[in-house]
Amino acid sequence: MLHHLSIAAQDPQRVARVLAEVMGGTLIPFPSHHDSFFALALDELGTGIEVYPAGTQLRPGFEDKGAQFVDTKEESLFVATHCALSVTLELEQIQEIAWREGWRIQVCDRGTYFQVIELWLENTTLIELLPPSLARRYQNFMSPENLKRMLGGSEQDKARELTAVSR
């Protein structure tokens, strides 16, 4: 299970506010790093997304210290980071939020297995949203029983199945 994720944004407060809204939660300042915010789902799992200013890097600490924040000017418009997030809002409500913010949104098929709503935060960072109407198919597909069945064949069968999912 994913408890929290961190991403970078040009406007961390705005992005965290929208994430909190689609999760049905709240937004708080993130105390560990300046100008950062934490969108909390307020669920029993402690689900949250930390949003740092663009250019922030996490680097290993020295000796006995944990990860360190480093502010850089090394920014990229797009990143490989994304997540799938179950939310309580349905498509129409999410669309209204995306349109209000001017961000790209679309419903996408992931093969014949399930659908997700792609919400592009600041039109650069992908968050896949699974409202209740879409979450069950995703959860059924990703169930341990189904994955074991699907991945239990030959290497060619596995590759074929995974290729179909990625389309």
Side-chain angles (χ1 to χ4, degrees):
M1 83 189 63
L2 177 69
H3 290 286
H4 73 264
L5 167 78
S6 63
I7 63 173
Q10 296 297 319
D11 187 343
Q13 185 172 14
R14 177 183 179 202
V15 169
R17 178 183 47 77
V18 169
L19 287 169
E21 186 176 358
V22 299
M23 290 190 296
T26 193
L27 158 78
I28 62 169
F30 188 67
S32 299
H33 188 58
H34 66 87
D35 300 324
S36 300
F37 295 86
F38 204 4
L40 298 167
L42 300 176
D43 63 9
E44 64 280 352
L45 300 174
T47 305
I49 300 177
E50 301 164 15
V51 186
Y52 307 132
T56 302
Q57 295 179 352
L58 287 173
R59 295 187 184 171
F62 297 102
E63 297 175 11
D64 63 343
K65 296 191 187 264
Q68 304 292 303
F69 292 98
V70 177
D71 295 319
T72 73
K73 298 296 178 204
E74 300 170 23
E75 296 181 32
S76 173
L77 185 59
F78 298 101
V79 297
T81 304
H82 84 281
C83 70
L85 184 65
S86 286
V87 296
T88 57
L89 299 182
E90 286 295 347
L91 175 61
E92 296 76 20
Q93 296 165 295
I94 297 167
Q95 282 175 323
E96 288 177 17
I97 294 167
W99 294 336
R100 178 191 73 210
E101 300 298 325
W103 296 344
R104 179 179 171 82
I105 183 171
Q106 72 182 83
V107 178
C108 295
D109 290 324
R110 298 299 189 238
T112 59
Y113 302 106
F114 58 89
Q115 292 181 311
V116 298
I117 298 170
E118 286 190 357
L119 175 61
W120 285 87
L121 306 172
E122 295 183 321
N123 293 315
T124 61
T125 303
L126 171 63
I127 300 291
E128 296 173 330
L129 300 176
L130 294 159
S133 61
L134 301 180
R136 182 162 311 281
R137 274 184 66 193
Y138 175 83
Q139 291 169 328
N140 288 341
F141 175 74
M142 294 299 290
S143 72
E145 299 79 23
N146 190 52
L147 290 175
K148 286 176 189 173
R149 180 188 55 73
M150 184 180 75
L151 299 174
S154 70
E155 291 300 315
Q156 287 179 331
D157 291 340
K158 292 177 192 176
R160 196 175 308 115
E161 287 287 336
L162 291 174
T163 300
V165 171
S166 65
R167 290 185 184 153

